[in-house]
Amino acid sequence: MRVVVLGCGYVGLELGRQLREDGHDVVGVRRSDSGLDAVADAGLDPVRADVTVPETLADVPDADWLVFAASSGGRGAAAARRVFVDGLRNAVDEFATRESPPGRLVYTSSTGVYGDHDGDWVDEDTPLDPTTDKTRVLAEAEDVALSAPVDSTVARFAGLYGPDRYRLERYLDGPVTEGYLNMVHRDDAAGAVRFALEEGVDDVLLVVDDEPVSKWEFADWLADACGVDRPEKRTKAERLAAGDLSEAARRRILTSKRCSNGRLRALGYEFAYPTFRAGYCAAVDAYRGDG
């Protein structure tokens, strides 16, 4: 298959590597010179385009499978809307109306669309209740993907980690605020999208590893593994009382849930890193090796 990855960045590059190993042709779409260089370095075919500038998408070749993995660059809700809602609509309008439209679209979303469930479990059947402007944009973009005139999959990613994104200091230095971590290694985020494409998974897929974990438990495990003192802890009430949080940050702290990968497992996906214990081995080894 020819696979076009719009926004071929952190997950997209790994997805491209996996798809190429499976014998597919992969086009990685980025808008910057550095992004295009990264696509070429990964052995993929680089094409310059910007989903927020619809006329540039005409330069992208036809796709058997289309993956929308663009990023808003960590900016606010307005920027997110331009990329995830308007940009996705631009992509659907461009590719779905071609003489050879894609056989499948995968849109990469976030577990942030669930909102707060007071630590309870959520899965694909749990109603969405986004609590911030940005997560409401992500939920709206999911509707765009699922209403597209092609077979569509929404892959809701938990917190991504992996090479260059282990962020050990966040938990080793502390203080660590209570709550749950729902995580997935970059390689499994990419692997789940590859699986959805190759197996023809419809509708929604929650992409998270086997073991959501409390932040305090994770921080203590990480400190022990790295051979350092366990970090200071603080409750949500203590963190909120500091009074230095934005409204979005306050809402994130108050949002608590545990995400289930039961459907992904039942469909037959095998994780490279089933839990954080396996996924953080390389980071721990590097930390200890650096003394």
Side-chain angles (χ1 to χ4, degrees):
M1 295 292 183
R2 174 185 281 165
V3 189
V4 170
V5 182
L6 299 172
C8 192
Y10 188 62
V11 174
L13 290 170
E14 175 60 24
L15 171 63
R17 295 184 193 103
Q18 294 185 21
L19 289 168
R20 187 188 58 197
E21 289 175 0
D22 284 353
H24 305 293
D25 296 326
V26 184
V27 175
V29 178
R30 298 285 291 271
R31 61 184 181 179
S32 67
D33 290 340
S34 60
L36 293 168
D37 289 343
V39 171
D41 290 345
L44 315 177
D45 297 328
V47 173
R48 188 190 303 274
D50 185 338
V51 296
T52 66
V53 185
E55 56 268 25
T56 67
L57 295 173
D59 297 328
V60 183
D62 290 346
D64 297 305
W65 295 335
L66 181 66
V67 178
F68 190 97
S71 168
S72 64
R75 293 171 291 170
R81 175 170 294 280
R82 284 194 296 273
V83 174
F84 299 126
V85 176
D86 300 337
L88 181 55
R89 283 200 182 107
N90 292 338
V92 170
D93 289 345
E94 170 65 32
F95 286 91
T97 57
R98 290 185 177 185
E99 185 175 342
S100 297
R104 178 162 300 278
L105 164 69
V106 174
Y107 165 66
T108 61
S109 186
S110 164
T111 57
V113 296
Y114 286 109
D116 179 39
H117 288 267
D118 197 27
D120 285 344
W121 287 91
V122 301
D123 61 18
E124 290 84 355
D125 294 326
T126 303
L128 304 190
D129 186 22
T131 57
T132 67
D133 289 341
K134 189 167 184 178
T135 54
R136 282 188 282 271
V137 166
L138 296 176
E140 184 178 346
E142 289 192 6
D143 289 338
V144 174
L146 293 173
S147 63
V150 298
D151 291 339
S152 301
T153 308
V154 168
R156 290 180 186 146
F157 290 162
L160 293 169
Y161 74 96
D164 301 319
R165 290 197 187 184
Y166 288 108
R167 302 183 179 98
L168 298 188
E169 66 283 350
R170 175 184 297 180
Y171 295 98
L172 294 179
D173 296 346
V176 177
T177 302
E178 67 179 323
Y180 279 106
L181 285 172
N182 297 276
M183 296 186 286
V184 65
H185 192 282
R186 176 205 64 183
D187 294 5
D188 282 312
V193 173
R194 172 184 51 77
F195 180 83
L197 290 169
E198 295 180 338
E199 299 298 321
V201 177
D202 289 322
D203 203 15
V204 177
L205 199 57
L206 213 166
V207 182
V208 62
D209 70 17
D210 289 347
E211 188 179 345
V213 61
S214 81
K215 294 178 182 179
W216 288 359
E217 180 182 343
F218 173 74
D220 285 347
W221 173 85
L222 186 62
D224 293 348
C226 290
V228 300
D229 292 338
R230 292 182 172 186
E232 176 188 349
K233 316 293 194 306
R234 62 188 171 194
T235 65
K236 292 183 179 183
E238 289 170 336
R239 181 67 185 96
L240 294 170
D244 58 350
L245 296 171
S246 67
E247 179 59 22
R250 189 184 72 84
R251 286 180 179 271
R252 283 195 298 271
I253 287 175
L254 292 173
T255 298
S256 180
K257 59 187 176 292
R258 285 174 287 174
C259 298
S260 168
N261 66 9
R263 183 177 188 222
L264 184 57
R265 281 291 196 184
L267 289 169
Y269 180 73
E270 295 292 335
F271 281 80
Y273 301 99
T275 76
F276 61 87
R277 295 177 183 84
Y280 269 82
C281 278
V284 169
D285 288 346
Y287 184 91
R288 296 185 73 104
D290 287 341

